[in-house]
């Protein structure tokens, strides 16, 4: 058996063992001490810090304008533009307080608000910064200098690269073995959030495919084991380049690695959790099996879709995009009478089609492999029941051959003609949605809920694509969160669902399609007892031109 097939078997076995089932849940901790939750904020003690000025949120282009292909003039990288990129993608958006309890919220969502994703910047030739590797401290909106590079003239400047890593323990503390799934889902959220925010400063963002997992760890300093606690190590996951065209500028990773190896290092990672009660070796095993090998890249063959629907934009979507990014929230409960207009529903689904000239799909470097099963309860003009959105042209036949053959497969007459939306079953659906999502009322009280079906056969020869499936799910989720916010509703990601229950409902007999995430949208019920506080009360806000 080749290494690739062996790793594929390990990845698929991990996916099977971490399924929630009607007769039992995936392995997780038997007890959780909420008073001893791990520190959510990574820092490197002893590393020099650099302040970033906060930007006003009530300025800049509207959310709706992000989808009209208008070109925003690229801005030079400096303290202000780097701050703007981070502030409206991955930083704190607010603090919540209830009685004596206080907790932070961020722009990019996370399962259980645990935030295992860490952010690094490689800066070279950027005004106001020494060339080097920086870690972003989200708790104080600062950059920490991890490694100062030696002088080099061989790399084209200015250069900004953004790296993401995951601290698996942040998720495993609460979710056990299933945490690896959620870490990569959160990476997709973060990728999409950065993709939207990059538009504000005139850039597109693209994950770099050519770099393997081990090289990325060295590039981000994550292989320096003496500077991390071994049970709180970080996994290098993604490196992003910023550019102004469809083709990012190529650069020599080896030259940056050389600068990293010969640089001056600062700081040691803080202790996040002084008392680890459990170990989850299955996470380390799947992380190794799904690591990206060297020399791997995939040629994306983009499909042509009609322009995104903009004619019926909701008035709330005309507010500044920056404000909307900061106000994104996950609903905790819904009004059981939740409804959404047909136009808003179709526009929301239209934004999920992978148009590579619009965010967040301009960040795609792999073929989209996720399709949506929608359980509709309260969409004006649509009967309740089961629907399917195929997110690739001509995917209908493939899906129809796998899913049970007694379904309607009717086109939805009210939908735009280009939208591959099919009506499968007409039936009352609130109870089924709740049952499939671990009996959570939020799935049934919504206007609609959905499951994301991933094409799984691709893992047999390319096990690292397991991570990409969850990245894509996170990108879909981030789009849904923002689209819901832009019409006065709210979204909620649902990580607890009965995997094979979804497959049984659809008559899926093999692993060719797998349900990997759920989501729901509706009218939120807000708790007036919760106080909302600003994210950084002591930092100066920088005014920027309108």
């Amino acid at each position: 058996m080749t290494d690739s097939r062996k790793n594929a078997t390990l990845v698929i076995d991990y996916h099977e063992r971490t399924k929630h089932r009607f007769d039992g849940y995936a392995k997780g901790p038997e007890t959780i001490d909420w008073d001893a939750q791990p520190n959510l904020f990574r820092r490197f003690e002893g590393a020099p810090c650099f302040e970033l000025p906060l930007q006003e949120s009530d300025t800049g282009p509207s959310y709706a304008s992000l989808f009209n292909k208008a070109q925003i003039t690229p801005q030079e990288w400096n303290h202000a533009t780097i701050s703007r990129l981070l502030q409206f993608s991955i930083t704190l958006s607010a603090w919540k307080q209830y009685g004596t309890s206080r907790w932070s919220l961020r722009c990019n969502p996370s399962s259980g608000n645990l935030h295992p994703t860490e952010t690094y910047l490689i800066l070279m030739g950027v005004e106001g910064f020494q060339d080097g590797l920086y870690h972003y401290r989200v708790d104080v909106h600062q950059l920490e200098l991890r490694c100062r590079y030696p002088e080099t003239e061989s790399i084209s400047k200015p250069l900004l690269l953004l790296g993401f890593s995951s601290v698996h323990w942040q998720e495993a503390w609460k979710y056990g073995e299933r945490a690896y799934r959620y870490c990569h889902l959160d990476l997709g959220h973060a990728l999409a959030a950065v993709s939207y925010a990059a538009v504000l400063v005139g850039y597109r963002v693209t994950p770099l495919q050519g770099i393997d997992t081990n090289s990325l760890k060295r590039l981000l300093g994550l292989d320096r084991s003496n500077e991390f606690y071994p049970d709180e190590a970080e996994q290098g996951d993604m490196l992003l380049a910023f550019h102004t065209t469809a083709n990012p500028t190529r650069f020599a990773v080896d030259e940056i690695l050389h600068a990293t190896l010969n640089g001056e290092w600062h700081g040691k990672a803080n202790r996040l959790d002084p008392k680890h009660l459990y170990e989850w070796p299955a996470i380390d095993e799947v992380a190794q099996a799904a690591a990206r090998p060297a020399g791997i890249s995939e040629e994306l063959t983009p499909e042509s879709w009609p322009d995104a629907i903009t004619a019926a934009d909701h008035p709330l979507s005309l507010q500044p995009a920056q404000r909307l990014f900061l106000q994104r929230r996950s609903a905790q409960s819904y009004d059981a009478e939740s409804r959404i207009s047909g136009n808003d529903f179709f526009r929301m689904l239209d934004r999920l089609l992978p148009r590579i000239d619009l965010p967040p799909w301009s960040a795609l470097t792999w073929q989209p492999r996720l399709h949506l099963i929608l359980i509709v309860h309260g969409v004006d003009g649509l009967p309740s029941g089961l629907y399917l959105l195929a997110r690739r042209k001509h995917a209908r036949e493939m899906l129809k051959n796998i899913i049970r053959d007694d379904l309607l497969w009717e086109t939805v007459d009210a939908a735009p003609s280009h939208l591959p939306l099919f009506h499968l079953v007409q039936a009352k659906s609130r109870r089924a949605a709740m049952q499939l999502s671990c009996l959570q009322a939020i799935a049934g009280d919504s206007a609609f809920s959905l499951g994301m079906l991933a094409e799984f056969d691709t893992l047999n020869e390319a096990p690292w694509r397991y991570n990409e499936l969850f990245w894509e799910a996170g990108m879909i989720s981030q789009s849904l969160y923002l689209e819901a916010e832009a019409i006065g509703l709210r979204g909620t990601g649902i990580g607890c669902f009965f995997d094979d229950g979804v497959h049984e409902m659809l008559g899926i007999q093999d692993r060719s399609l797998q349900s990997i995430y759920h989501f729901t949208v509706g009218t939120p019920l807000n708790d007036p007892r919760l106080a909302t506080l600003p994210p950084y009360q002591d930092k100066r806000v920088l005014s920027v031109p309108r």
Side-chain angles (χ1 to χ4, degrees):
M1 182 182 293
T2 65
D3 287 345
S4 180
R5 293 302 298 270
K6 179 181 178 181
N7 287 336
T9 299
L10 289 170
V11 169
I12 293 169
D13 287 349
Y14 166 82
H15 188 76
E16 284 294 323
R17 71 181 285 164
T18 57
K19 287 181 175 180
H20 291 322
R21 296 179 168 84
F22 289 118
D23 60 354
Y25 291 88
K27 290 183 180 179
E30 297 177 1
T31 181
I32 294 177
D33 183 358
W34 286 102
D35 293 329
Q37 181 175 345
N39 185 350
L40 295 182
F41 301 117
R42 167 71 88 202
R43 66 181 185 275
F44 286 89
E45 296 164 345
C49 291
F50 296 81
E51 287 283 345
L52 294 173
L54 292 177
Q55 315 286 304
E56 289 183 347
S57 60
D58 291 337
T59 61
S62 71
Y63 176 71
S65 72
L66 301 183
F67 306 97
N68 64 13
K69 300 183 183 179
Q71 180 64 44
I72 298 175
T73 303
Q75 301 174 26
E76 294 292 333
W77 291 118
N78 53 39
H79 283 79
T81 50
I82 292 173
S83 177
R84 192 178 188 189
L85 174 73
L86 297 174
Q87 181 182 346
F88 298 110
S89 59
I90 56 177
T91 196
L92 298 185
S93 58
W95 285 86
K96 289 286 186 179
Q97 185 165 331
Y98 174 68
T100 58
S101 297
R102 190 169 178 262
W103 61 96
S104 61
L105 304 179
R106 302 194 196 184
C107 298
N108 57 311
S110 167
S111 305
N113 201 30
L114 297 174
H115 298 284
T117 307
E118 292 297 325
T119 305
Y120 294 83
L121 296 180
I122 292 172
L123 303 179
M124 303 190 75
V126 175
E127 178 187 349
F129 292 95
Q130 302 174 58
D131 289 358
L133 171 71
Y134 294 78
H135 171 255
Y136 176 54
R137 273 195 61 176
V138 67
D139 57 329
V140 290
H141 193 53
Q142 294 178 352
L143 291 181
E144 298 178 302
L145 179 60
R146 279 284 285 136
C147 178
R148 184 174 65 83
Y149 295 161
E151 290 290 334
T152 177
E153 300 297 331
S154 59
I155 299 175
S156 177
K157 302 176 184 179
L159 174 69
L160 183 148
L161 301 174
L162 188 150
F164 284 135
S165 68
S166 296
V167 185
H168 293 147
W169 177 249
Q170 290 280 36
E171 289 286 331
W173 169 82
K174 179 179 179 182
Y175 293 116
E177 286 189 349
R178 200 169 165 102
Y180 184 80
R181 297 181 178 210
Y182 301 152
C183 286
H184 285 276
L185 183 74
D186 285 1
L187 284 161
H189 285 142
L191 172 60
V194 170
S195 174
Y196 284 111
V199 177
L200 301 176
V201 289
Y203 290 93
R204 295 175 62 161
V205 61
T206 301
L208 296 172
Q209 287 194 325
I211 185 167
D212 61 280
T213 298
N214 288 333
S215 294
L216 181 56
K217 287 184 68 173
R218 293 197 300 273
L219 202 66
L220 302 182
L222 308 180
D223 62 334
R224 300 175 64 82
S225 57
N226 61 319
E227 294 167 5
F228 292 85
Y229 289 92
D231 50 5
E232 293 173 0
E234 296 182 26
Q235 172 76 23
D237 294 305
M238 194 184 300
L239 188 66
L240 311 181
F242 296 82
H243 51 98
T244 57
T245 66
N247 299 310
T249 301
R250 297 188 180 277
F251 65 94
V253 172
D254 289 344
E255 294 179 8
I256 300 180
L257 279 171
H258 180 77
T260 301
L261 293 172
N262 291 279
E264 177 184 326
W265 287 88
H266 305 276
K268 181 177 180 180
N270 62 325
R271 188 56 146 155
L272 299 174
D273 189 353
K275 191 175 182 180
H276 289 231
L277 296 179
Y278 299 93
E279 294 182 357
W280 306 107
I283 293 178
D284 295 331
E285 291 170 3
V286 71
Q288 184 174 353
R292 192 178 191 90
I296 297 297
S297 62
E298 178 179 0
E299 191 69 28
L300 172 62
T301 305
E303 294 183 321
S304 176
W305 297 94
D307 288 345
I309 300 172
T310 58
D313 279 321
H314 193 282
L316 287 176
S317 71
L318 302 179
Q319 65 181 303
Q322 297 179 164
R323 182 197 302 162
L324 189 141
F325 295 162
L326 291 182
Q327 72 186 36
R328 183 217 61 82
R329 302 284 186 271
S330 292
Q332 303 304 307
S333 60
Y334 289 130
D335 182 341
E337 302 301 318
S338 291
R339 298 201 68 80
I340 182 175
S341 74
N343 284 339
D344 288 338
F345 178 68
F346 296 138
R347 184 176 57 252
M348 186 176 291
L349 298 185
D350 178 72
R351 297 273 167 84
L352 301 180
L353 299 180
R355 297 180 178 90
I356 65 167
D357 54 352
L358 293 176
W361 309 114
S362 52
L364 269 184
T365 57
W366 62 89
Q367 297 294 342
R369 296 186 175 93
L370 265 62
H371 310 281
L372 307 185
I373 289 292
L374 298 115
I375 304 178
V376 168
H377 324 304
V379 177
D380 294 342
L382 290 187
S384 297
L386 194 66
Y387 294 76
L388 182 144
L389 179 71
R391 293 183 55 255
R392 276 205 327 273
K393 292 182 177 180
H394 313 301
R396 176 180 181 271
E397 291 307 311
M398 178 273 293
L399 294 166
K400 195 172 181 179
N401 288 335
I402 298 173
I403 295 173
R404 49 191 269 201
D405 58 9
D406 60 344
L407 303 177
L408 297 175
W409 287 98
E410 295 176 344
T411 57
V412 178
D413 292 338
S417 59
H418 70 272
L419 194 65
L421 181 65
F422 304 98
H423 187 191
L424 302 183
V425 176
Q426 182 170 333
K428 293 182 178 180
S429 52
R430 293 186 185 274
R431 185 176 179 184
M434 181 184 71
Q435 289 177 331
L436 290 173
S437 293
C438 294
L439 309 178
Q440 297 177 79
I442 198 168
D445 289 343
S446 59
F448 69 92
S449 64
L450 60 86
M452 303 181 193
L453 290 178
E455 299 175 23
F456 234 60
D457 286 345
T458 185
L459 303 186
N460 290 329
E461 300 298 333
W464 58 88
R465 289 181 183 156
Y466 186 68
N467 301 337
E468 293 176 350
L469 295 177
F470 287 95
W471 298 353
E472 190 176 342
M475 296 172 76
I476 291 172
S477 300
Q478 182 71 348
S479 176
L480 288 169
Y481 271 119
L482 296 179
E483 290 296 318
E485 206 74 41
I487 58 173
L489 299 180
R490 193 145 279 173
T492 305
I494 299 179
C496 186
F497 54 89
F498 296 120
D499 304 51
D500 288 338
V502 177
H503 308 148
E504 291 168 11
M505 176 185 71
L506 297 172
I508 297 172
Q509 300 295 320
D510 55 24
R511 293 198 191 98
S512 55
L513 292 174
Q514 292 287 289
S515 178
I516 64 169
Y517 198 51
H518 283 201
F519 201 91
T520 187
V521 173
T523 303
L525 294 176
N526 297 316
D527 189 339
R529 298 172 298 175
L530 296 181
T532 302
L533 307 172
Y536 303 103
Q537 298 187 61
D538 300 325
K539 289 185 74 72
R540 178 174 63 89
V541 176
L542 179 69
S543 296
V544 295
R546 292 180 180 272

